[in-house]
Amino acid sequence: MENFDFHVTTDIRFGYDRLDELPQVLNTFGKNVLLVYGGGSIKKSGLYDKLYELFNQNDNHVVELAGVDPNPRIETVQKGAQLCKENAVDVVLPVGGGSVIDCSKAVAACRFVSGNLWENFVLKRSYNGPALPIVTVLTLAATGSEMNGTCVISNMDAQIKLGVHGTSLLPKVSFLDPTNTYSVSSYQTAAGSADILSHLMENYFNATPGTEVQDEIAEGLMKTVIKYLPLALKEPDNYTARANLMWASTLALNGLVGKGKSGSWSCHAMEHELSAFYDITHGVGLAILTPRWMAHILDDDTLPKFQRFAEEIWDVKGEEAKRTAEIGIQKLYDFFVSCGIPMTLPEVGIQTEENFEEMGQRAVAHSSISNQGFVPLHEEDVVSIYRACMSETSFV
Amino acid sequence: MENFDFHVTTDIRFGYDRLDELPQVLNTFGKNVLLVYGGGSIKKSGLYDKLYELFNQNDNHVVELAGVDPNPRIETVQKGAQLCKENAVDVVLPVGGGSVIDCSKAVAACRFVSGNLWENFVLKRSYNGPALPIVTVLTLAATGSEMNGTCVISNMDAQIKLGVHGTSLLPKVSFLDPTNTYSVSSYQTAAGSADILSHLMENYFNATPGTEVQDEIAEGLMKTVIKYLPLALKEPDNYTARANLMWASTLALNGLVGKGKSGSWSCHAMEHELSAFYDITHGVGLAILTPRWMAHILDDDTLPKFQRFAEEIWDVKGEEAKRTAEIGIQKLYDFFVSCGIPMTLPEVGIQTEENFEEMGQRAVAHSSISNQGFVPLHEEDVVSIYRACMSETSFV
């Protein structure tokens, strides 16, 4: 186990009927609120009206940043930061999933950043400056952004999607009400769960020795997601399923399973290029890439961890080691298929391989996968993995 | 899953060679430090000298509260609070295990409490007042006190041991260096691990439905302890073993496995009477009680959880349900025996049953085990469990 710091101060309010606590929370920061949300699903679900009832009772001055895209854009961040300056915003309130929260983190910081925000904030990758306080209301179990200090922002003109980390970006309070995810579509529920699983697998498949605590927690959270995603798809308003998916999503990326390990995430680096070039759903991109990545790096060195993954997560028994590992990868693939996730790139609109070489170069350039990955990946590895995603695959 | 708040702000500095960061941490609170420690093991290990080297470089004014007992006493708390007042202490620095940290929490709060501290602090059970900031240097993997807001204080005259909880009691920073546990004796290492396992089992055996995240994490941490305790006993300076035990101990009681569940802890309530009457080692008391408690409450209703415990933790396979559960309990008992823990009350000096009825009354009176336990326990149940601890037991 490597040395690490763990300091995650977000105040989690988990459960149903907690929103009455929101006014008191907002008031600790001030009356001027920037409400950030996405495509309007919070209006359909009734959450928007509930919020305004609370704002009105509470004499909040609310400014809105609406229409935040999945893979949130630097232009939206710019607009939000400007709104904060013009309206003396005291607190940023994202109501949505990871994209809305990520965008809000960038807005909260960029309120204090001048000049070109892409250059002066995103390209720095690490932010040490101040930020407005952030209070989140989560409506999608996926990214874990509600309890960490990272945001991922896209520049669609330059086709670049990059993460920025900063202590001040950590939300002060996050409201996690599983009933707010009842109305999430099957597709987004499955994609969100694929994102959770990816966060767990990116940390689990890692070369740092002696990290049993982290690995056991990762396995436990993976098993929880695999148990409850099918139930949430079948019964969208099953509280137990939604609650376990939500809490698993938060814990999957708050440091519990990643701290104490060094190394680089491979699939996220490759997926960020897919999203940047083709604006596909992040979790779906990860689901497509992960089994092919696993098959690509399976060798004598990585075999023990893949064998453990197959045995502990997929209950594969009685086969020799390599076949056990392969069956595990197949079961992951089949699980994603069974949850309705499109598992090839053509199914998400990527019909040709024309950009793969450039994307491979960029995946390596924008990350440390070529020297710090579980298995280092070079441009040709990335291209080969992208190519394997072009058609249905069998791993056994 | 029940509604819950999770807000654990302790700044964890995990790993070796982190103590150079201590002066900077202390300085954020002030120059006047109350150093709290136990029986002097930190002098033997060299930690005491290292600390004074840092204090001297840093111009700290240090007052000492030394000789804190296991099962820390209210008299020691009184003395420490007085020292804080007389010396304008800015920050309390416990260097030790759970007893030293618990005592320090009480001292940090009682600095601001007047009158009879037993009545005005401990008997309140919940503390909403201010406390001096607490920075811990952990030297024993056991209680989890380094990352929660609870302390347990004893009144040996009245033979009462009670827990107090308060937000301000949460340590600000905790230094978790596994090498500081290399010198812990086999007996204390095993007792500490029994305490960790007990925290996990007290939360795991619980009637709240739909808590898969918490149960999976509890199982993962149990498996970690069961894997690494024998290695730590065999190789006291095995870093991986000590690191995993230490991080597991912290996570076992920081809310991760207990939040989202309601109910009462049964074995701790019974053990607190053992410690209060006989001043035995807390973790050993828990190890002795737990398998007998399990056998006492095993019935058709509790069977599924005990079966899962046997299968997941002890890999019991191919037996019918009740026998599976019984083998699981036996394996827990055998594990404690194999780690050198005395597993009967006579072995820890309790030769007669004379106090059991009074202890049974008190265990019920001082806790909510009679109405909120996994299975409610009344006075006669507690006495019966104490009696079962008087001799070696077979569970299958």
PDB file of all heavy atoms in Angstrom, chain A residues 95-125:
ATOM      1  N   VAL A  95     -28.260  20.566  -9.821  1.00  0.00           N
ATOM      2  CA  VAL A  95     -29.301  19.559  -9.604  1.00  0.00           C
ATOM      3  C   VAL A  95     -29.275  18.670 -10.834  1.00  0.00           C
ATOM      4  O   VAL A  95     -29.737  19.059 -11.908  1.00  0.00           O
ATOM      5  CB  VAL A  95     -30.681  20.213  -9.413  1.00  0.00           C
ATOM      6  CG1 VAL A  95     -31.756  19.151  -9.189  1.00  0.00           C
ATOM      7  CG2 VAL A  95     -30.645  21.187  -8.227  1.00  0.00           C
ATOM      8  N   GLY A  96     -28.664  17.504 -10.713  1.00  0.00           N
ATOM      9  CA  GLY A  96     -28.525  16.644 -11.882  1.00  0.00           C
ATOM     10  C   GLY A  96     -27.516  15.537 -11.650  1.00  0.00           C
ATOM     11  O   GLY A  96     -27.264  15.143 -10.509  1.00  0.00           O
ATOM     12  N   GLY A  97     -26.929  15.066 -12.735  1.00  0.00           N
ATOM     13  CA  GLY A  97     -25.938  14.003 -12.656  1.00  0.00           C
ATOM     14  C   GLY A  97     -24.526  14.581 -12.720  1.00  0.00           C
ATOM     15  O   GLY A  97     -24.305  15.763 -12.453  1.00  0.00           O
ATOM     16  N   GLY A  98     -23.591  13.746 -13.107  1.00  0.00           N
ATOM     17  CA  GLY A  98     -22.191  14.124 -13.080  1.00  0.00           C
ATOM     18  C   GLY A  98     -21.847  15.289 -13.986  1.00  0.00           C
ATOM     19  O   GLY A  98     -21.016  16.132 -13.632  1.00  0.00           O
ATOM     20  N   SER A  99     -22.494  15.383 -15.123  1.00  0.00           N
ATOM     21  CA  SER A  99     -22.162  16.481 -16.037  1.00  0.00           C
ATOM     22  C   SER A  99     -22.544  17.816 -15.434  1.00  0.00           C
ATOM     23  O   SER A  99     -21.790  18.794 -15.509  1.00  0.00           O
ATOM     24  CB  SER A  99     -22.885  16.293 -17.371  1.00  0.00           C
ATOM     25  OG  SER A  99     -22.467  15.097 -17.985  1.00  0.00           O
ATOM     26  N   VAL A 100     -23.718  17.862 -14.841  1.00  0.00           N
ATOM     27  CA  VAL A 100     -24.195  19.101 -14.218  1.00  0.00           C
ATOM     28  C   VAL A 100     -23.309  19.468 -13.031  1.00  0.00           C
ATOM     29  O   VAL A 100     -22.953  20.640 -12.840  1.00  0.00           O
ATOM     30  CB  VAL A 100     -25.680  18.939 -13.806  1.00  0.00           C
ATOM     31  CG1 VAL A 100     -26.132  20.080 -12.905  1.00  0.00           C
ATOM     32  CG2 VAL A 100     -26.574  18.844 -15.045  1.00  0.00           C
ATOM     33  N   ILE A 101     -22.931  18.476 -12.252  1.00  0.00           N
ATOM     34  CA  ILE A 101     -22.073  18.753 -11.086  1.00  0.00           C
ATOM     35  C   ILE A 101     -20.679  19.165 -11.545  1.00  0.00           C
ATOM     36  O   ILE A 101     -20.094  20.118 -11.019  1.00  0.00           O
ATOM     37  CB  ILE A 101     -22.027  17.538 -10.138  1.00  0.00           C
ATOM     38  CG1 ILE A 101     -23.436  17.214  -9.610  1.00  0.00           C
ATOM     39  CG2 ILE A 101     -21.072  17.798  -8.967  1.00  0.00           C
ATOM     40  CD1 ILE A 101     -23.519  15.945  -8.778  1.00  0.00           C
ATOM     41  N   ASP A 102     -20.139  18.457 -12.532  1.00  0.00           N
ATOM     42  CA  ASP A 102     -18.804  18.815 -13.039  1.00  0.00           C
ATOM     43  C   ASP A 102     -18.793  20.242 -13.576  1.00  0.00           C
ATOM     44  O   ASP A 102     -17.872  21.029 -13.301  1.00  0.00           O
ATOM     45  CB  ASP A 102     -18.369  17.848 -14.154  1.00  0.00           C
ATOM     46  CG  ASP A 102     -17.834  16.542 -13.602  1.00  0.00           C
ATOM     47  OD1 ASP A 102     -17.994  16.294 -12.385  1.00  0.00           O
ATOM     48  OD2 ASP A 102     -17.237  15.770 -14.380  1.00  0.00           O
ATOM     49  N   CYS A 103     -19.811  20.573 -14.355  1.00  0.00           N
ATOM     50  CA  CYS A 103     -19.897  21.924 -14.907  1.00  0.00           C
ATOM     51  C   CYS A 103     -19.955  22.947 -13.773  1.00  0.00           C
ATOM     52  O   CYS A 103     -19.280  23.985 -13.821  1.00  0.00           O
ATOM     53  CB  CYS A 103     -21.142  22.033 -15.794  1.00  0.00           C
ATOM     54  SG  CYS A 103     -21.330  23.640 -16.576  1.00  0.00           S
ATOM     55  N   SER A 104     -20.719  22.628 -12.739  1.00  0.00           N
ATOM     56  CA  SER A 104     -20.864  23.557 -11.597  1.00  0.00           C
ATOM     57  C   SER A 104     -19.557  23.751 -10.855  1.00  0.00           C
ATOM     58  O   SER A 104     -19.263  24.854 -10.371  1.00  0.00           O
ATOM     59  CB  SER A 104     -21.921  23.013 -10.634  1.00  0.00           C
ATOM     60  OG  SER A 104     -23.169  22.939 -11.273  1.00  0.00           O
ATOM     61  N   LYS A 105     -18.771  22.677 -10.728  1.00  0.00           N
ATOM     62  CA  LYS A 105     -17.465  22.802 -10.069  1.00  0.00           C
ATOM     63  C   LYS A 105     -16.590  23.779 -10.840  1.00  0.00           C
ATOM     64  O   LYS A 105     -15.937  24.659 -10.258  1.00  0.00           O
ATOM     65  CB  LYS A 105     -16.775  21.436  -9.996  1.00  0.00           C
ATOM     66  CG  LYS A 105     -17.389  20.469  -8.996  1.00  0.00           C
ATOM     67  CD  LYS A 105     -16.673  19.118  -9.090  1.00  0.00           C
ATOM     68  CE  LYS A 105     -17.201  18.139  -8.063  1.00  0.00           C
ATOM     69  NZ  LYS A 105     -16.604  16.781  -8.245  1.00  0.00           N
ATOM     70  N   ALA A 106     -16.582  23.606 -12.170  1.00  0.00           N
ATOM     71  CA  ALA A 106     -15.754  24.485 -13.004  1.00  0.00           C
ATOM     72  C   ALA A 106     -16.248  25.923 -12.910  1.00  0.00           C
ATOM     73  O   ALA A 106     -15.447  26.863 -12.809  1.00  0.00           O
ATOM     74  CB  ALA A 106     -15.765  23.986 -14.454  1.00  0.00           C
ATOM     75  N   VAL A 107     -17.560  26.093 -12.906  1.00  0.00           N
ATOM     76  CA  VAL A 107     -18.142  27.439 -12.776  1.00  0.00           C
ATOM     77  C   VAL A 107     -17.726  28.058 -11.441  1.00  0.00           C
ATOM     78  O   VAL A 107     -17.305  29.227 -11.382  1.00  0.00           O
ATOM     79  CB  VAL A 107     -19.688  27.366 -12.878  1.00  0.00           C
ATOM     80  CG1 VAL A 107     -20.338  28.652 -12.372  1.00  0.00           C
ATOM     81  CG2 VAL A 107     -20.110  27.059 -14.308  1.00  0.00           C
ATOM     82  N   ALA A 108     -17.861  27.264 -10.367  1.00  0.00           N
ATOM     83  CA  ALA A 108     -17.562  27.765  -9.016  1.00  0.00           C
ATOM     84  C   ALA A 108     -16.114  28.230  -8.912  1.00  0.00           C
ATOM     85  O   ALA A 108     -15.809  29.206  -8.220  1.00  0.00           O
ATOM     86  CB  ALA A 108     -17.853  26.680  -7.984  1.00  0.00           C
ATOM     87  N   ALA A 109     -15.217  27.530  -9.598  1.00  0.00           N
ATOM     88  CA  ALA A 109     -13.805  27.926  -9.592  1.00  0.00           C
ATOM     89  C   ALA A 109     -13.563  29.091 -10.547  1.00  0.00           C
ATOM     90  O   ALA A 109     -12.879  30.070 -10.205  1.00  0.00           O
ATOM     91  CB  ALA A 109     -12.930  26.734  -9.984  1.00  0.00           C
ATOM     92  N   CYS A 110     -14.139  29.001 -11.743  1.00  0.00           N
ATOM     93  CA  CYS A 110     -13.838  29.994 -12.779  1.00  0.00           C
ATOM     94  C   CYS A 110     -14.426  31.370 -12.464  1.00  0.00           C
ATOM     95  O   CYS A 110     -14.026  32.366 -13.075  1.00  0.00           O
ATOM     96  CB  CYS A 110     -14.297  29.483 -14.144  1.00  0.00           C
ATOM     97  SG  CYS A 110     -13.240  28.147 -14.745  1.00  0.00           S
ATOM     98  N   ARG A 111     -15.347  31.408 -11.503  1.00  0.00           N
ATOM     99  CA  ARG A 111     -15.767  32.700 -10.946  1.00  0.00           C
ATOM    100  C   ARG A 111     -14.538  33.518 -10.529  1.00  0.00           C
ATOM    101  O   ARG A 111     -14.563  34.751 -10.550  1.00  0.00           O
ATOM    102  CB  ARG A 111     -16.680  32.415  -9.744  1.00  0.00           C
ATOM    103  CG  ARG A 111     -16.814  33.521  -8.711  1.00  0.00           C
ATOM    104  CD  ARG A 111     -17.670  34.646  -9.258  1.00  0.00           C
ATOM    105  NE  ARG A 111     -17.811  35.754  -8.301  1.00  0.00           N
ATOM    106  CZ  ARG A 111     -16.889  36.678  -8.079  1.00  0.00           C
ATOM    107  NH1 ARG A 111     -15.740  36.639  -8.741  1.00  0.00           N
ATOM    108  NH2 ARG A 111     -17.093  37.647  -7.219  1.00  0.00           N
ATOM    109  N   PHE A 112     -13.454  32.811 -10.172  1.00  0.00           N
ATOM    110  CA  PHE A 112     -12.248  33.488  -9.678  1.00  0.00           C
ATOM    111  C   PHE A 112     -11.068  33.402 -10.655  1.00  0.00           C
ATOM    112  O   PHE A 112      -9.944  33.745 -10.304  1.00  0.00           O
ATOM    113  CB  PHE A 112     -11.830  32.890  -8.322  1.00  0.00           C
ATOM    114  CG  PHE A 112     -12.896  32.992  -7.273  1.00  0.00           C
ATOM    115  CD1 PHE A 112     -13.726  31.911  -6.985  1.00  0.00           C
ATOM    116  CD2 PHE A 112     -13.098  34.180  -6.579  1.00  0.00           C
ATOM    117  CE1 PHE A 112     -14.728  32.009  -6.016  1.00  0.00           C
ATOM    118  CE2 PHE A 112     -14.092  34.287  -5.614  1.00  0.00           C
ATOM    119  CZ  PHE A 112     -14.912  33.201  -5.331  1.00  0.00           C
ATOM    120  N   VAL A 113     -11.345  32.921 -11.860  1.00  0.00           N
ATOM    121  CA  VAL A 113     -10.267  32.768 -12.839  1.00  0.00           C
ATOM    122  C   VAL A 113     -10.497  33.802 -13.948  1.00  0.00           C
ATOM    123  O   VAL A 113     -11.623  33.958 -14.415  1.00  0.00           O
ATOM    124  CB  VAL A 113     -10.263  31.343 -13.441  1.00  0.00           C
ATOM    125  CG1 VAL A 113      -9.200  31.208 -14.535  1.00  0.00           C
ATOM    126  CG2 VAL A 113     -10.047  30.304 -12.347  1.00  0.00           C
ATOM    127  N   SER A 114      -9.448  34.463 -14.366  1.00  0.00           N
ATOM    128  CA  SER A 114      -9.639  35.456 -15.437  1.00  0.00           C
ATOM    129  C   SER A 114      -8.988  34.972 -16.731  1.00  0.00           C
ATOM    130  O   SER A 114      -8.239  33.999 -16.740  1.00  0.00           O
ATOM    131  CB  SER A 114      -9.065  36.803 -15.005  1.00  0.00           C
ATOM    132  OG  SER A 114      -7.765  36.634 -14.533  1.00  0.00           O
ATOM    133  N   GLY A 115      -9.326  35.647 -17.806  1.00  0.00           N
ATOM    134  CA  GLY A 115      -8.745  35.310 -19.106  1.00  0.00           C
ATOM    135  C   GLY A 115      -9.380  34.072 -19.706  1.00  0.00           C
ATOM    136  O   GLY A 115     -10.533  33.738 -19.423  1.00  0.00           O
ATOM    137  N   ASN A 116      -8.618  33.388 -20.538  1.00  0.00           N
ATOM    138  CA  ASN A 116      -9.100  32.206 -21.243  1.00  0.00           C
ATOM    139  C   ASN A 116      -9.239  31.029 -20.267  1.00  0.00           C
ATOM    140  O   ASN A 116      -8.250  30.512 -19.734  1.00  0.00           O
ATOM    141  CB  ASN A 116      -8.094  31.872 -22.361  1.00  0.00           C
ATOM    142  CG  ASN A 116      -8.545  30.692 -23.200  1.00  0.00           C
ATOM    143  OD1 ASN A 116      -8.922  29.644 -22.676  1.00  0.00           O
ATOM    144  ND2 ASN A 116      -8.510  30.866 -24.517  1.00  0.00           N
ATOM    145  N   LEU A 117     -10.461  30.598 -20.032  1.00  0.00           N
ATOM    146  CA  LEU A 117     -10.709  29.574 -19.006  1.00  0.00           C
ATOM    147  C   LEU A 117     -10.163  28.199 -19.392  1.00  0.00           C
ATOM    148  O   LEU A 117      -9.762  27.418 -18.539  1.00  0.00           O
ATOM    149  CB  LEU A 117     -12.207  29.470 -18.703  1.00  0.00           C
ATOM    150  CG  LEU A 117     -12.861  30.728 -18.118  1.00  0.00           C
ATOM    151  CD1 LEU A 117     -14.336  30.478 -17.848  1.00  0.00           C
ATOM    152  CD2 LEU A 117     -12.146  31.175 -16.845  1.00  0.00           C
ATOM    153  N   TRP A 118     -10.176  27.908 -20.686  1.00  0.00           N
ATOM    154  CA  TRP A 118      -9.631  26.620 -21.123  1.00  0.00           C
ATOM    155  C   TRP A 118      -8.149  26.549 -20.765  1.00  0.00           C
ATOM    156  O   TRP A 118      -7.681  25.578 -20.175  1.00  0.00           O
ATOM    157  CB  TRP A 118      -9.850  26.414 -22.627  1.00  0.00           C
ATOM    158  CG  TRP A 118      -9.386  25.058 -23.090  1.00  0.00           C
ATOM    159  CD1 TRP A 118      -8.252  24.781 -23.791  1.00  0.00           C
ATOM    160  CD2 TRP A 118     -10.017  23.811 -22.834  1.00  0.00           C
ATOM    161  NE1 TRP A 118      -8.135  23.437 -24.005  1.00  0.00           N
ATOM    162  CE2 TRP A 118      -9.217  22.805 -23.419  1.00  0.00           C
ATOM    163  CE3 TRP A 118     -11.186  23.431 -22.172  1.00  0.00           C
ATOM    164  CZ2 TRP A 118      -9.547  21.453 -23.368  1.00  0.00           C
ATOM    165  CZ3 TRP A 118     -11.521  22.084 -22.118  1.00  0.00           C
ATOM    166  CH2 TRP A 118     -10.705  21.112 -22.703  1.00  0.00           C
ATOM    167  N   GLU A 119      -7.439  27.628 -21.093  1.00  0.00           N
ATOM    168  CA  GLU A 119      -5.988  27.651 -20.823  1.00  0.00           C
ATOM    169  C   GLU A 119      -5.683  27.825 -19.342  1.00  0.00           C
ATOM    170  O   GLU A 119      -4.817  27.159 -18.786  1.00  0.00           O
ATOM    171  CB  GLU A 119      -5.320  28.786 -21.602  1.00  0.00           C
ATOM    172  CG  GLU A 119      -5.133  28.428 -23.069  1.00  0.00           C
ATOM    173  CD  GLU A 119      -4.588  29.596 -23.891  1.00  0.00           C
ATOM    174  OE1 GLU A 119      -4.048  30.540 -23.290  1.00  0.00           O
ATOM    175  OE2 GLU A 119      -4.728  29.543 -25.128  1.00  0.00           O
ATOM    176  N   ASN A 120      -6.431  28.727 -18.694  1.00  0.00           N
ATOM    177  CA  ASN A 120      -6.078  29.113 -17.323  1.00  0.00           C
ATOM    178  C   ASN A 120      -6.694  28.215 -16.251  1.00  0.00           C
ATOM    179  O   ASN A 120      -6.337  28.310 -15.085  1.00  0.00           O
ATOM    180  CB  ASN A 120      -6.468  30.563 -17.052  1.00  0.00           C
ATOM    181  CG  ASN A 120      -5.700  31.516 -17.953  1.00  0.00           C
ATOM    182  OD1 ASN A 120      -4.703  31.125 -18.570  1.00  0.00           O
ATOM    183  ND2 ASN A 120      -6.155  32.757 -18.057  1.00  0.00           N
ATOM    184  N   PHE A 121      -7.638  27.362 -16.660  1.00  0.00           N
ATOM    185  CA  PHE A 121      -8.243  26.445 -15.683  1.00  0.00           C
ATOM    186  C   PHE A 121      -8.078  24.991 -16.129  1.00  0.00           C
ATOM    187  O   PHE A 121      -7.361  24.218 -15.492  1.00  0.00           O
ATOM    188  CB  PHE A 121      -9.725  26.805 -15.466  1.00  0.00           C
ATOM    189  CG  PHE A 121     -10.444  25.861 -14.535  1.00  0.00           C
ATOM    190  CD1 PHE A 121     -10.153  25.842 -13.181  1.00  0.00           C
ATOM    191  CD2 PHE A 121     -11.413  24.981 -15.018  1.00  0.00           C
ATOM    192  CE1 PHE A 121     -10.813  24.961 -12.316  1.00  0.00           C
ATOM    193  CE2 PHE A 121     -12.076  24.107 -14.165  1.00  0.00           C
ATOM    194  CZ  PHE A 121     -11.773  24.094 -12.814  1.00  0.00           C
ATOM    195  N   VAL A 122      -8.667  24.618 -17.262  1.00  0.00           N
ATOM    196  CA  VAL A 122      -8.691  23.191 -17.635  1.00  0.00           C
ATOM    197  C   VAL A 122      -7.292  22.662 -17.946  1.00  0.00           C
ATOM    198  O   VAL A 122      -6.887  21.615 -17.415  1.00  0.00           O
ATOM    199  CB  VAL A 122      -9.637  22.945 -18.836  1.00  0.00           C
ATOM    200  CG1 VAL A 122      -9.662  21.449 -19.166  1.00  0.00           C
ATOM    201  CG2 VAL A 122     -11.051  23.420 -18.510  1.00  0.00           C
ATOM    202  N   LEU A 123      -6.548  23.369 -18.763  1.00  0.00           N
ATOM    203  CA  LEU A 123      -5.238  22.843 -19.177  1.00  0.00           C
ATOM    204  C   LEU A 123      -4.242  22.776 -18.019  1.00  0.00           C
ATOM    205  O   LEU A 123      -3.233  22.074 -18.117  1.00  0.00           O
ATOM    206  CB  LEU A 123      -4.661  23.675 -20.333  1.00  0.00           C
ATOM    207  CG  LEU A 123      -5.365  23.476 -21.690  1.00  0.00           C
ATOM    208  CD1 LEU A 123      -4.643  24.282 -22.778  1.00  0.00           C
ATOM    209  CD2 LEU A 123      -5.435  22.011 -22.097  1.00  0.00           C
ATOM    210  N   LYS A 124      -4.526  23.466 -16.913  1.00  0.00           N
ATOM    211  CA  LYS A 124      -3.647  23.349 -15.732  1.00  0.00           C
ATOM    212  C   LYS A 124      -3.813  21.984 -15.052  1.00  0.00           C
ATOM    213  O   LYS A 124      -2.925  21.536 -14.328  1.00  0.00           O
ATOM    214  CB  LYS A 124      -3.964  24.460 -14.714  1.00  0.00           C
ATOM    215  CG  LYS A 124      -3.895  25.874 -15.247  1.00  0.00           C
ATOM    216  CD  LYS A 124      -2.473  26.351 -15.424  1.00  0.00           C
ATOM    217  CE  LYS A 124      -2.491  27.843 -15.777  1.00  0.00           C
ATOM    218  NZ  LYS A 124      -1.224  28.284 -16.346  1.00  0.00           N
ATOM    219  N   ARG A 125      -4.988  21.365 -15.197  1.00  0.00           N
ATOM    220  CA  ARG A 125      -5.301  20.028 -14.654  1.00  0.00           C
ATOM    221  C   ARG A 125      -5.381  19.983 -13.129  1.00  0.00           C
ATOM    222  O   ARG A 125      -5.964  19.056 -12.566  1.00  0.00           O
ATOM    223  CB  ARG A 125      -4.294  18.969 -15.134  1.00  0.00           C
ATOM    224  CG  ARG A 125      -4.057  18.918 -16.637  1.00  0.00           C
ATOM    225  CD  ARG A 125      -5.326  18.617 -17.432  1.00  0.00           C
ATOM    226  NE  ARG A 125      -5.877  17.309 -17.192  1.00  0.00           N
ATOM    227  CZ  ARG A 125      -5.515  16.215 -17.825  1.00  0.00           C
ATOM    228  NH1 ARG A 125      -4.600  16.279 -18.761  1.00  0.00           N
ATOM    229  NH2 ARG A 125      -6.073  15.050 -17.552  1.00  0.00           N
TER     230      ARG A 125
END
